């Protein structure tokens, strides 16, 4: 099967004051179409850090990430935002709902980023709920 997502020599380092923490160290990963991949590790091992990089929510310190034939680690912030909207679904550990809006509107608002047809979006949201 074709490779969908590939990380090559991925590194992520956090620097706090004088301390550097190397969370991802030359990580290589290949995910093919149709794969169901599970990432396991102790709390603090770097699972979320890896997922934030792979999904374009954060940038690696070093290394490359390709989605299909595109090198997403080179993308501008705007291009990364479009990449996330088109290609990434993400269920966060904490929920990031807007608590001033109804559940329905929380779902509709993400649909509005993609399309202006509020009626179609509302129908789709109802189905998903
Ligand atoms: N934004 C950040 N700034 C500094 N350190 C961070 C940041 N995010 C994560 N870390 C550190 O990186 C390590 C890996 O964290 P994380 O990826 O959240 O682990 P996991 O999801 O596997 O529990 C932890 O030691 C955490 O404290
Ligand atoms: Mg985590």
């Amino acid at each position: 099967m074709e490779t969908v997502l590939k990380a090559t020599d991925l590194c992520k380092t956090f620097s706090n004051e004088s301390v550097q923490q190397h969370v991802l160290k030359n990580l290589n990963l290949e995910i093919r179409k149709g794969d169901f991949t599970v990432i396991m590790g102790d709390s603090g091992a770097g699972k979320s850090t890896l997922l934030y990089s792979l999904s374009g929510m954060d940038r690696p310190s070093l290394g490359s990430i390709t989605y299909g034939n595109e090198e997403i680690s080179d993308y501008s912030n705007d291009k990364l935002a479009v990449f996330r909207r088109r290609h990434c679904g993400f269920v966060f550990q904490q929920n990031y709902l807007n608590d001033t809006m109804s559940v329905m509107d929380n779902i509709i608002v993400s649909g509005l980023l993609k399309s202006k047809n509020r009626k179609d979006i509302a129908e789709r949201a109802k189905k998903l709920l």
Side-chain angles (χ1 to χ4, degrees):
M1 278 289 189
E2 71 188 274
T3 299
V4 179
L5 192 60
K6 189 174 178 186
T8 309
D9 296 333
L10 209 62
C11 299
K12 182 73 182 179
T13 299
F14 293 110
S15 305
N16 299 320
E17 287 146 29
S18 56
V19 185
Q20 282 201 327
Q21 188 185 5
H22 302 288
V23 177
L24 305 178
K25 289 173 270 188
N26 295 310
L27 184 143
N28 290 286
L29 172 85
E30 208 168 322
I31 296 177
R32 293 183 188 82
K33 194 169 182 177
D35 278 357
F36 182 102
T37 303
V38 177
I39 297 160
M40 295 195 295
D42 289 345
S43 179
K47 303 178 296 293
S48 295
T49 302
L50 172 63
L51 292 178
Y52 295 152
S53 281
L54 293 178
S55 62
M57 279 189 280
D58 196 5
R59 290 177 187 279
S61 309
L62 280 172
S64 84
I65 299 166
T66 52
Y67 181 81
N69 294 321
E70 302 235 10
E71 171 79 49
I72 68 160
S73 28
D74 287 344
Y75 279 6
S76 65
N77 287 344
D78 284 356
K79 232 176 151 186
L80 263 185
V82 173
F83 164 78
R84 290 195 300 269
R85 192 192 307 161
R86 284 210 187 121
H87 302 293
C88 297
F90 208 102
V91 180
F92 289 97
Q93 201 162 349
Q94 301 82 11
N95 65 49
Y96 290 108
L97 298 174
N98 184 330
D99 61 12
T100 65
M101 301 191 311
S102 67
V103 172
M104 179 62 108
D105 282 346
N106 266 282
I107 295 171
I108 285 175
V109 80
S110 59
L112 288 172
L113 293 170
K114 216 173 168 183
S115 150
K116 296 232 176 331
N117 191 331
R118 206 174 194 289
K119 193 168 159 271
D120 283 357
I121 296 166
E123 269 169 28
R124 173 99 175 106
K126 246 186 227 162
K127 261 191 208 145
L128 290 172
L129 278 172

